[in-house]
Amino acid sequence: MPKVLADNEEVVFQEGIPEEPLHIYELLMGAFAEQRRSVVKFTVDGKDALQSGDFAKSFELIEAESLSHDEITLRLSIDFINQMNTLEDSILAYQINILTTPWSEVFKQMDLFIQKIQPFADLIDHVSPYAQSYSPPWKDRIDGVAKAQAETLARLLTSFENFDPAGLSEELENGFIPLFRNAIKLFSEDIIPYLKAETEKATDETSNA
């Protein structure tokens, strides 16, 4: 008899257990969404279907795990911030070298530069949907950061396209770096503490249910 476990509890389906794992995944995603949660692990007979993309056509045991949207956003935020431990120092050094390095070398490093700042873009991209969905106290500020980030990245790319080392250096100094500092301050002082508190609250409510 096939069995479905969600967060270690057996799931009872009113119309019987669906045959296809993908259908079960979609049903669980819908049910968890109503609880501000998402499926983060979905194994079909011991194989992780989310990683492989293979949901099979039948099963004996499905095990699903979920996390609250607060905790998912918290974990992603901390992960991206940890990836940027040396970003400010690296960008400062890059900014200083722009005007003393041949432009051909600067241009060759464009992809590397974009790769370095990608975690910052990912950080904002991943927290913005949460802010839009739940309107936390810091929503307006993260919206402002997202707008400013899009603008400074556009100006940086324009500087590369126009072969403008002076413009690139100026935008890093007066645009990107101050924005980065303000964003990290916002996360450390407001967003991370808020997400931790919401995660703890959700955990307490689940354990008391």
Side-chain angles (χ1 to χ4, degrees):
M1 179 74 178
K3 180 184 292 188
V4 178
L5 300 177
D7 293 332
N8 297 316
E9 293 188 7
E10 186 168 358
V11 180
V12 178
F13 295 89
Q14 293 181 348
E15 299 179 2
I17 301 178
E19 293 182 1
E20 295 196 10
L22 181 58
H23 188 193
I24 292 173
Y25 173 73
E26 292 170 345
L27 291 173
L28 291 178
M29 283 291 288
F32 278 127
E34 295 177 1
Q35 306 170 36
R36 291 180 53 161
R37 303 180 71 83
S38 292
V39 176
V40 294
K41 188 175 182 180
F42 190 86
T43 61
V44 180
D45 295 330
K47 296 181 180 179
D48 192 332
L50 294 185
Q51 286 192 353
S52 67
D54 180 11
F55 284 83
K57 294 296 181 181
S58 61
F59 69 96
E60 292 299 322
L61 175 64
I62 285 176
E63 296 175 284
E65 295 179 14
S66 73
L67 288 176
S68 69
H69 294 166
D70 310 291
E71 186 167 1
I72 292 171
T73 307
L74 173 64
R75 290 187 179 192
L76 286 171
S77 297
I78 292 174
D79 182 50
F80 286 127
I81 288 172
N82 286 340
Q83 292 180 39
M84 296 187 290
N85 278 338
T86 62
L87 179 59
E88 182 175 345
D89 290 342
S90 178
I91 295 301
L92 284 170
Y94 182 78
Q95 184 256 330
I96 291 171
N97 290 333
I98 286 172
L99 299 178
T100 59
T101 302
W103 178 251
S104 60
E105 292 301 316
V106 174
F107 190 77
K108 286 179 183 177
Q109 296 177 17
M110 182 176 69
D111 289 342
L112 179 59
F113 170 78
I114 293 174
Q115 184 179 337
K116 284 182 178 180
I117 65 174
Q118 187 62 48
F120 182 46
D122 291 340
L123 174 66
I124 307 305
D125 287 347
H126 280 81
V127 80
S128 290
Y130 177 94
Q132 298 303 317
S133 297
Y134 300 117
S135 296
W138 36 266
K139 177 184 180 299
D140 289 345
R141 283 173 290 170
I142 197 64
D143 286 348
V145 169
K147 180 181 178 182
Q149 182 204 53
E151 291 171 349
T152 191
L153 291 181
R155 288 192 291 266
L156 289 172
L157 290 177
T158 298
S159 295
F160 273 113
E161 292 169 356
N162 293 339
F163 301 95
D164 181 9
L168 180 60
S169 177
E170 181 179 356
E171 184 58 35
L172 286 173
E173 182 175 4
N174 299 319
F176 182 85
I177 293 173
L179 175 65
F180 175 77
R181 289 171 176 165
N182 289 336
I184 294 301
K185 182 178 180 181
L186 174 60
F187 272 86
S188 63
E189 294 183 357
D190 293 279
I191 297 178
I192 297 296
Y194 177 89
L195 292 172
K196 285 183 177 178
E198 291 298 301
T199 297
E200 291 171 0
K201 185 193 303 182
T203 301
D204 290 341
E205 289 174 354
T206 301
S207 46
N208 292 332

